[in-house]
Amino acid sequence: MVELLGRDSADPARLFEHSLALLRERLGAERALLTRVTGLGHEVFWWAAGDEKALHRIFEQPEKGYCAWVMAHPDRPLVIRDAELEPLWRDSPACRELGIRAYAGVVLREGGRVVGTLCIQHDKPLPMGRGALSLLKALGHLLGKTLEAEQLRQELTATRDALELSSAVVQDSALQSGRSGLPNRRYLEIWIRATVFLARRRNEDMALALWSQPMERGLKSRLQALAEALRGEDLLVEFSTDHYLLLMPHTTPEGAEVLLARIWEQVGDHPAGATCWRPGDEDLSLQGALRRASTALEEAKGGGRFVVWHLP
């Protein structure tokens, strides 16, 4: 616990990851989850699991788990060692539909409000003593305080970004390249802050493709038309002089190849470097993914291939 605090307390993402991994290890659980209730309903927003494929049932219907009971009784941690042996739980949707036999959960609070739960789940009976519950309570308190601090930080960041955007509107060229008419690197930095965090919450991959081509007569208008024709969540930016970056949220390499083929019909065939950003494994700034795309582009230029992929 001391090592956890010393190593990760300054980074909420790493703290969440290592805390949930610690719970799984010490309690022998199949999965450890952080859940919360938002305007869109009850959702899982951070997790550690032995079998990622089995998580889709939990993601789709977290309200059917025991977490709703925990939030309705915030002063009473819930411990279920074997739901099949407890009349209150043996016929519950959590047991019958989701197959959760063992569970332990505590509430998460932000500013005194109950906003979610920290819990462990197992598909078989699980012995849990006082030590397990003490660890769960301690981490629940720690992660709740971390969520409070992170919420405040995000509100301050959002306020700062709004001020920056307002200032940028006054300066016509602040977020747009006069050369290509596309959004520029400054716009990309602001876009990443919102989009990548959401992609991590949804556990969605993002495909990136980087290519270069010199500015020629008519290219500016073609690029602008291309940007307007993209799907709503895709983004085309001028990454640097004569270099263009296409970001495609929740898109596989196969889907990206199809979209790139359509793009070449508009702007001509050009060697491109491509990669995917993986939300569960990579940084939120996309720096690792951008380096891979740049390296792949150099290989594409030298190898005569149109698209070279460097996957994480």
Side-chain angles (χ1 to χ4, degrees), residues 86 91 98 149 200 214 261 302:
E86 301 191 27
D91 294 321
L98 302 180
R200 174 167 278 187

Side-chain angles (χ1 to χ4, degrees), residues 232-276:
E233 292 184 299
D234 296 336
L235 177 67
L236 178 62
V237 301
E238 181 180 313
F239 192 64
S240 60
T241 303
D242 292 338
H243 285 75
Y244 303 96
L245 177 67
L246 178 64
L247 300 102
M248 298 162 277
H250 56 83
T251 302
T252 64
E254 293 76 16
E257 291 268 10
V258 172
L259 183 54
L260 286 172
R262 295 173 182 169
I263 288 175
W264 298 156
E265 294 176 359
Q266 302 292 324
V267 299
D269 294 338
H270 299 280
T275 189
C276 277

